[in-house]
Amino acid sequence: MRNLAIIPARSGSKGLPDKNIMTLCGKPMIAYTIDAAKQSGCFTDILVSTDSEKYAQVAQEYGAEVPFLRSKETSSDTAGSWDVIKEVLTGLKEMGREYDTVCLLQPTSPLRKAEDIQNAYRQFEEKSATTVVSVSEMGHPVEWSFELDETCSMEAYAKSPYSNMRRQELPVHYMENGAIFLTKTKVVLAGKSIYADGCYASIMSAERAYDIDNAMDFYVTEAIMKAGKENGK
């Protein structure tokens, strides 16, 4: 099969300016995702979708392809990731380049490893899936969550049958972590939901699932990377 990786990297982040190319432990953040994609050996081609010539240059330096820049429509704050993916697939198709699968890899998940991508493709093949998304175990049981009213009373929690239960007594819950979205290209081009029939989860460790959205996320991820290097990981 012809498998395509697309790394969306729009410039102009408001929460953390230029976060996609911020220097993280000596490399631009986007480089970690490019490296993981290359090391996985899963892809025919690895592309970065960006609206910035500067970002494009960084991506190309680390071995990704940038065949064209984004349109104004997909460069806005309101454009969705799948709008971007569809634009790239359509543009490539016009160039005579077609693929069986497309894998969306967010550059804000730099702790994702090549083996995580390989596991997603393995799940895709074993399940004869239409889509595979990466998930991680939630940090706290959802049963421990509750709502607060304007009085900030803890009454709702006090009445909960789960308030005195240990974590081990509660079921494990998972959440989508945003690191890997793998689907058939025909699903995207047809404008269908990736969560329709044939969608399965690929489980990643929570330690590798950090999604960098703000400065605190960045510093936590940096600390994890430094600790890993010190421990030879």
Side-chain angles (χ1 to χ4, degrees), residues 91-98:
L92 291 173
K93 190 173 183 178
E94 292 172 353
M95 297 167 63
R97 297 170 60 177
E98 297 189 61

Side-chain angles (χ1 to χ4, degrees), residues 104-165:
L104 166 58
L105 300 172
Q106 301 281 9
T108 50
S109 299
L111 295 174
R112 176 212 309 101
K113 300 294 185 183
E115 65 190 79
D116 297 316
I117 299 171
Q118 292 167 345
N119 288 339
Y121 266 97
R122 188 175 299 112
Q123 183 80 322
F124 186 84
E125 293 172 359
E126 290 177 355
K127 297 287 188 181
S128 297
T130 300
T131 301
V132 169
V133 298
S134 59
V135 303
S136 299
E137 184 177 336
M138 295 184 68
H140 300 284
V142 295
E143 290 84 357
W144 287 353
S145 64
F146 57 95
E147 294 183 2
L148 281 175
D149 60 19
E150 64 277 2
T151 69
C152 290
S153 169
M154 292 286 288
E155 183 178 2
Y157 184 69
K159 291 181 177 179
S160 168
Y162 307 108
S163 59
N164 292 315
M165 294 183 71

Side-chain angles (χ1 to χ4, degrees), residues 5-171:
I6 299 179
I7 303 167
R10 186 175 68 89
S11 62
S13 171
K14 294 177 181 177
L16 198 59
D18 278 335
K19 66 180 178 181
N20 290 319
I21 59 170
M22 284 181 68
T23 300
L24 177 62
C25 289
K27 293 196 298 189
M29 184 157 64
I30 195 173
Y32 292 96
T33 294
I34 296 172
D35 287 346
K38 289 165 61 179
Q39 292 164 13
S40 74
C42 292
F43 303 109
T44 308
D45 294 305
I46 301 167
L47 273 62
V48 166
S49 171
T50 183
D51 58 335
S52 164
E53 291 282 3
K54 180 180 179 181
Y55 280 35
Q57 183 177 352
V58 171
Q60 289 164 343
E61 287 175 359
Y62 283 89
E65 185 183 353
V66 187
F68 44 77
L69 296 181
R70 288 191 195 181
S71 65
K72 289 183 179 180
E73 290 74 22
T74 57
S75 299
S76 68
D77 293 335
T78 57
S81 294
W82 293 105
D83 295 324
V84 172
I85 302 306
K86 187 174 183 179
E87 178 182 69
V88 174
L89 290 176
T90 302
L92 291 173
K93 190 173 183 178
E94 292 172 353
M95 297 167 63
R97 297 170 60 177
E98 297 189 61
Y99 300 85
D100 299 292
T101 71
V102 59
C103 188
L104 166 58
L105 300 172
Q106 301 281 9
T108 50
S109 299
L111 295 174
R112 176 212 309 101
K113 300 294 185 183
E115 65 190 79
D116 297 316
I117 299 171
Q118 292 167 345
N119 288 339
Y121 266 97
R122 188 175 299 112
Q123 183 80 322
F124 186 84
E125 293 172 359
E126 290 177 355
K127 297 287 188 181
S128 297
T130 300
T131 301
V132 169
V133 298
S134 59
V135 303
S136 299
E137 184 177 336
M138 295 184 68
H140 300 284
V142 295
E143 290 84 357
W144 287 353
S145 64
F146 57 95
E147 294 183 2
L148 281 175
D149 60 19
E150 64 277 2
T151 69
C152 290
S153 169
M154 292 286 288
E155 183 178 2
Y157 184 69
K159 291 181 177 179
S160 168
Y162 307 108
S163 59
N164 292 315
M165 294 183 71
R166 298 179 304 150
R167 179 196 298 270
Q168 295 86 343
E169 298 174 299
L170 295 169

